[in-house]
Amino acid sequence: MTSDVLIMGGGATGQLAAAYLGKRFPNLKVAVVEGPRKNRPIVGESLVEVSVDFMFELGLGAYLVENHYPKYGLTYYFKPNIDDPADRTYVVDEIPTAPQILSFQINRFTFDREVRDRNLESGVQLIDGNVIGVNINSGGGLHAVTVQGADGERRMLRARWLVDATGRNRLLAKQLQLQETVKEQKNVFWFRLINFNPEILSRIQALKKQNRAFVPYFATHHFFGKGNWIWCIPMRSLENQPLISIGITYRKDVYPHGEVRTMEQFFECVGREHPVVVELVRSGTIVDTNYYGSYMWECRQRYSSDRWYIIGDAGDTVDPLYSVGLALSSLQIRQIAAIIQRELNGSDTKEFAKDLDTVLAAFQRSVTRDTTRLYECMGDAYQCHLRVHLAVVKLFHLALPLVMNDYWWDPLGVKLVNWFSSLDTLEADSKKIQELIREVAANPKNRMVENFIKVQSCASMNFPYYEHHREEDIPASLSKMAFGLARLRLDLLGKLGWRGLMSLNQQRALLKDLLRGLFLVPFYGTKLRESRLVRMIL
């Protein structure tokens, strides 16, 4: 059997890729090898703005509104006295008002089934079987994939474009020896709960601004502890009843309470820091439990001009803290579509594929590695809240505006992003300000609750930009981010007193923030991709 696009893997990433490519290229034949539909561990119930923008493009907007809970951002629980289980004082940070871009808490079981059913209706060919062999054709011919069905029969599939969405199986990454080891490994244990009492979540002493904009329960709740964080995600059951997903992710080398892979261990370990979460779980009935151990890995290459592509967990894994898993998959699917379109137009794809690979790796690894380092101070409420604030600023000022204006799959746009925010630049900037935060936190006076800032404010979430989503507002968005970082750095240096004046590295970093902001001022109101100066530089 021959198809134009063959997708290996029938999970959410593979089915969404088939849906998008089938809609974008109605004249191409799209097929999915989905394997046995057994009960796989499924996680990723919390969507973010990028994911929902992609779902709307697929025509899933009305379905999401009618069948899944709205999501009112992420709510963070920072516990200043993490060593005292009896102390229920939390600094709670919610979004300032209802989000300007829709997002949802989804039941992945019903959602995945819906996408698959729609693919069947639209003509995507779904093939039952396991991939047991892949022959990559680097000479411009068709790739060959050997599939074995449940009855043991084998058959050969051929395709012009090959997409690996096999998740943890990492079929192509293993075959092509593209895997890279990650030293700091994490484990995750999670389950779903029914017949629970959601009011228990509010049985804490919450230090927060009064909220009258939305119902606080319908957010993704994040509790931070020593070397770990816990999520609580409200959603609907298959019978349209309240359901909640709860899980703990911990970094193995810094988590002090031992392994968590059973409910008994969950109660024991989580009860040492967040008894309110234990009470919530004990109030309900467990539906299922799941566990992933040492699930972090990286991949040296995701896209090739030889027309093979690796997406989702089949390439790099991400930490679930900011719910960017499906978001990154949606970006990759659009990027692959851009490569295919370029080839169909008769253009060379080698440089373009490399540029797209570079921008994806920079963002994905920057966010994931930054989050990995965060585990070292998650139990320190002051340090943790400042570092989460920095991540929010970068996501809403840098990443999201560029995505919403198609920079990530535009030939000139992607070069601009790579020039402005390379992985080395993002990594160096993050480590520098994290070092400053550690120095400030060393003084107990600075860690007082009154010194906490608003993690998610209208400014940090870039609300003015999202009123219009215009490309010509991107320079101002980036400039404001640079000036905001400069103000925060200046404030932190002030807390160090004379030592801040003597810190030449931090002073240079402050100057760099200011120069970046000033450099972008002349471009206010300009579409960067149409600027003659930008085109000359690139």
Side-chain angles (χ1 to χ4, degrees):
M1 191 195 79
T2 301
S3 61
D4 295 300
V5 181
L6 180 62
I7 299 167
M8 300 182 296
T13 297
Q15 296 290 356
L16 287 170
Y20 186 85
L21 296 175
K23 183 175 182 179
R24 175 79 178 268
F25 305 106
N27 295 326
L28 296 183
K29 184 178 179 181
V30 179
V32 179
V33 181
E34 59 178 354
R37 295 190 297 277
K38 57 185 179 181
N39 293 325
R40 296 187 300 261
I42 295 180
V43 71
E45 298 98 343
S46 178
L47 297 182
V48 296
E49 293 78 5
V50 171
S51 306
V52 175
D53 181 64
F54 176 77
M55 305 302 178
F56 276 29
E57 191 173 346
L58 284 178
L60 288 164
Y63 164 76
L64 288 171
V65 170
E66 294 168 1
N67 294 277
H68 299 274
Y69 285 153
K71 171 187 168 184
Y72 295 109
L74 281 69
T75 298
Y76 299 107
Y77 296 79
F78 305 99
K79 187 174 181 180
N81 191 4
I82 196 67
D83 291 316
D84 184 1
D87 188 343
R88 298 201 175 191
T89 303
Y90 289 88
V91 177
V92 179
D93 196 280
E94 300 171 331
I95 59 173
T97 185
Q100 293 182 312
I101 307 175
L102 284 177
S103 192
F104 295 90
Q105 316 278 30
I106 62 172
N107 183 320
R108 280 289 307 277
F109 295 95
T110 57
F111 175 80
D112 291 10
R113 185 178 61 195
E114 177 73 16
V115 176
R116 183 180 183 275
D117 290 346
R118 291 189 180 211
N119 281 342
L120 279 173
E121 293 175 4
S122 65
V124 173
Q125 185 167 10
L126 302 183
I127 303 167
D128 289 328
N130 291 315
V131 175
I132 60 173
V134 179
N135 182 18
I136 299 294
N137 193 321
S138 58
L142 300 179
H143 305 297
V145 177
T146 304
V147 174
Q148 181 171 293
D151 57 1
E153 182 182 354
R154 297 185 180 186
R155 57 173 164 165
M156 184 74 70
L157 312 178
R158 299 185 184 276
R160 184 176 179 183
W161 293 282
L162 185 63
V163 180
D164 182 1
T166 57
R168 293 170 60 86
N169 291 329
R170 294 168 280 163
L171 200 151
L172 282 185
K174 291 179 179 178
Q175 177 173 320
L176 301 176
Q177 298 183 344
L178 299 174
Q179 300 176 89
E180 293 184 339
T181 58
V182 174
K183 181 181 177 182
E184 299 85 0
Q185 284 297 330
K186 303 164 193 171
N187 292 350
V188 56
F189 172 77
W190 75 100
F191 52 91
R192 293 168 184 89
L193 193 69
I194 59 171
N195 301 324
F196 57 94
N197 180 6
E199 294 182 1
I200 291 177
L201 271 177
S202 61
R203 294 178 183 174
I204 60 173
Q205 183 181 348
L207 307 178
K208 67 172 188 176
K209 290 188 175 181
Q210 186 177 14
N211 168 40
R212 295 180 177 178
F214 54 87
V215 179
Y217 172 71
F218 295 101
T220 299
H221 305 270
H222 287 179
F223 289 81
F224 290 102
K226 292 182 177 180
N228 78 97
W229 65 278
I230 298 163
W231 78 71
C232 301
I233 304 176
M235 56 186 183
R236 292 177 177 174
S237 71
L238 296 173
E239 296 76 26
N240 204 29
Q241 297 299 314
L243 181 72
I244 192 167
S245 170
I246 300 176
I248 178 171
T249 303
Y250 57 97
R251 210 177 103 181
K252 296 169 64 175
D253 59 325
V254 294
Y255 185 58
H257 302 314
E259 189 174 46
V260 182
R261 58 186 306 168
T262 67
M263 289 307 306
E264 291 73 20
Q265 291 170 333
F266 180 89
F267 290 139
E268 168 65 23
C269 296
V270 174
R272 297 179 182 181
E273 296 179 343
H274 307 293
V276 65
V277 176
V278 172
E279 289 179 16
L280 173 66
V281 177
R282 291 192 183 279
S283 74
T285 303
I286 304 296
V287 175
D288 61 354
T289 61
N290 304 277
Y291 172 81
Y292 279 155
S294 301
Y295 68 90
M296 300 301 299
W297 56 77
E298 294 179 348
C299 182
R300 281 193 294 276
Q301 182 182 357
R302 285 144 293 273
Y303 307 146
S304 169
S305 57
D306 288 330
R307 302 192 308 278
W308 57 261
Y309 316 100
I310 301 174
I311 64 175
D313 285 350
D316 286 27
T317 48
V318 296
D319 191 287
L321 178 61
Y322 299 115
S323 306
V324 296
L326 279 179
L328 283 165
S329 293
S330 72
L331 297 182
Q332 288 194 270
I333 293 166
R334 284 164 157 167
Q335 288 181 323
I336 292 169
I339 297 173
I340 293 175
Q341 184 65 68
R342 189 172 179 85
E343 184 173 345
L344 291 173
N345 293 342
S347 301
D348 182 71
T349 62
K350 186 174 183 179
E351 183 179 352
F352 186 42
K354 185 177 180 180
D355 286 341
L356 294 179
D357 206 338
T358 299
V359 73
L360 180 78
F363 178 74
Q364 188 166 8
R365 294 187 179 182
S366 173
V367 172
T368 301
R369 293 175 182 178
D370 190 58
T371 306
T372 296
R373 292 191 293 270
L374 180 63
Y375 282 79
E376 298 167 7
C377 67
M378 279 183 174
D380 184 329
Y382 179 77
Q383 284 195 68
C384 185
H385 98 283
L386 282 177
R387 289 171 63 164
V388 173
H389 168 74
L390 289 170
V392 169
V393 169
K394 291 176 182 177
L395 287 170
F396 283 92
H397 284 79
L398 175 61
L400 193 54
L402 295 174
V403 168
M404 299 292 284
N405 283 278
D406 303 338
Y407 272 62
W408 278 50
W409 43 90
D410 173 76
L412 183 61
V414 72
K415 286 185 179 296
L416 181 60
V417 178
N418 286 333
W419 175 71
F420 188 82
S421 54
S422 67
L423 178 60
D424 290 342
T425 299
L426 293 172
E427 285 270 88
D429 290 348
S430 291
K431 290 180 179 179
K432 185 63 65 178
I433 199 162
Q434 288 163 13
E435 178 184 329
L436 177 58
I437 291 171
R438 280 195 298 270
E439 290 185 58
V440 173
N443 186 342
K445 292 183 179 179
N446 294 331
R447 299 153 59 93
M448 304 296 290
V449 171
E450 53 267 26
N451 289 329
F452 281 59
I453 67 172
K454 187 81 175 72
V455 172
Q456 302 170 102
S457 65
C458 293
S460 64
M461 298 186 73
N462 204 10
F463 275 14
Y465 171 81
Y466 298 105
E467 182 178 357
H468 303 291
H469 297 141
R470 295 180 303 206
E471 182 180 359
E472 55 266 35
D473 294 333
I474 288 179
S477 171
L478 297 173
S479 180
K480 289 176 182 176
M481 178 186 74
F483 287 138
L485 293 175
R487 283 193 296 270
L488 177 61
R489 196 185 303 270
L490 188 61
D491 180 63
L492 293 173
L493 286 170
K495 294 182 184 300
L496 291 180
W498 64 268
R499 290 192 297 118
L501 294 174
M502 300 296 292
S503 179
L504 297 182
N505 286 338
Q506 295 296 340
Q507 296 291 346
R508 282 194 292 267
L510 174 62
L511 179 60
K512 191 175 181 180
D513 290 336
L514 291 172
L515 290 176
R516 282 175 176 164
L518 291 171
F519 172 79
L520 289 161
V521 169
F523 294 98
Y524 278 24
T526 300
K527 295 182 178 180
L528 293 174
R529 287 177 290 188
E530 298 178 5
S531 167
R532 292 180 61 186
L533 178 59
V534 171
R535 296 178 76 91
M536 287 173 58
I537 293 173
L538 297 180

